[in-house]
Amino acid sequence: MTREEYVKTLEKYVAEKVVDDKQDNYYDGYFDGLKCAADLAEKLDEPKKVVIPEFIANDIKYHKKCGYTLLGALGSAFDQGLESDVYCWFFADDGSVKKYINAWNNGYEVEKEKKYRVKLPGLIGSNGQQYISKSMEDKLFACAYRDYLEQEFTKEELEEFPNWVQQLEFEEVEDE
């Protein structure tokens, strides 16, 4: 039973008091209690949505679209074994399976991937911090911060850069 169904049921019982108002005041305390319970039930919080990685969200979407039950989706992940990112995610953290179940039942939010800027060492005579930028042709070059240039990269993108980039200082970009 959902919270809304529970509140409606209580309100139905309270409404019956109006219909049965011919009775004496014997049941007034009972109906006042029902009214109080309905008021409290309306104040209950919905379960919080868990934050999961995008590949887990895709797995849940896929299994729901294909008509799997929760048990079937979990079984599917465990049948794939070590080749599966989902399987590995389950064992990366003690609470992962619980998060998956919670996401399946209550909904979820997709984890935003962290982005980084690659700082270049201070250059003599430069005014301001310089970062590695990427052009439309995927060529790397140094430039002071510019909004129109791609200067924010995910960990995966950084791993594709040449080795000398890995040795520079990374600055995590704050969400706006």
Side-chain angles (χ1 to χ4, degrees), residues 62-99:
Y62 169 79
H63 284 98
K64 284 189 173 189
K65 181 180 174 186
C66 292
Y68 280 74
T69 63
L70 173 59
L71 185 59
L74 288 170
S76 171
F78 285 106
D79 285 346
Q80 293 174 27
L82 293 174
E83 296 83 39
S84 166
D85 288 339
V86 177
Y87 180 88
C88 292
W89 181 78
F90 281 151
F91 291 102
D93 181 11
D94 286 341
S96 295
V97 174
K98 187 176 179 181
K99 269 188 186 178

Side-chain angles (χ1 to χ4, degrees), residues 131-167:
Y131 300 93
I132 291 211
S133 301
K134 189 162 81 171
S135 69
M136 297 292 260
E137 298 84 32
D138 286 341
K139 293 182 181 171
L140 299 180
F141 60 94
C143 186
Y145 179 75
R146 302 279 189 267
D147 287 338
Y148 58 88
L149 294 174
E150 184 179 357
Q151 294 181 309
E152 298 174 0
F153 307 100
T154 64
K155 278 281 190 195
E156 282 182 358
E157 291 171 325
L158 291 173
E159 289 170 3
E160 294 172 7
F161 287 174
N163 285 341
W164 62 267
V165 174
Q166 308 300 327
Q167 297 171 9

Side-chain angles (χ1 to χ4, degrees), residues 114-120 129-133 143-147 149-154 158 161 165 168-174 176:
K114 290 182 181 177
K115 297 257 183 167
Y116 301 89
R117 284 195 198 110
V118 183
K119 283 182 171 184
L120 291 172
Q129 182 65 52
Q130 292 205 352
Y131 300 93
I132 291 211
S133 301
C143 186
Y145 179 75
R146 302 279 189 267
D147 287 338
L149 294 174
E150 184 179 357
Q151 294 181 309
E152 298 174 0
F153 307 100
T154 64
L158 291 173
F161 287 174
V165 174
L168 298 174
E169 183 181 348
F170 297 166
E171 175 183 277
E172 190 173 324
V173 177
E174 298 292 324
E176 297 167 3

Side-chain angles (χ1 to χ4, degrees), residues 30-90:
Y30 170 76
F31 287 109
D32 289 342
L34 287 176
K35 178 80 172 111
C36 181
D39 291 342
L40 289 173
E42 286 182 357
K43 295 177 184 174
L44 286 174
D45 289 333
E46 291 292 324
K48 290 186 178 179
K49 294 182 178 182
V50 293
V51 179
I52 57 174
E54 187 173 359
F55 69 93
I56 297 296
N58 292 339
D59 184 75
I60 290 173
K61 284 181 206 170
Y62 169 79
H63 284 98
K64 284 189 173 189
K65 181 180 174 186
C66 292
Y68 280 74
T69 63
L70 173 59
L71 185 59
L74 288 170
S76 171
F78 285 106
D79 285 346
Q80 293 174 27
L82 293 174
E83 296 83 39
S84 166
D85 288 339
V86 177
Y87 180 88
C88 292
W89 181 78
F90 281 151

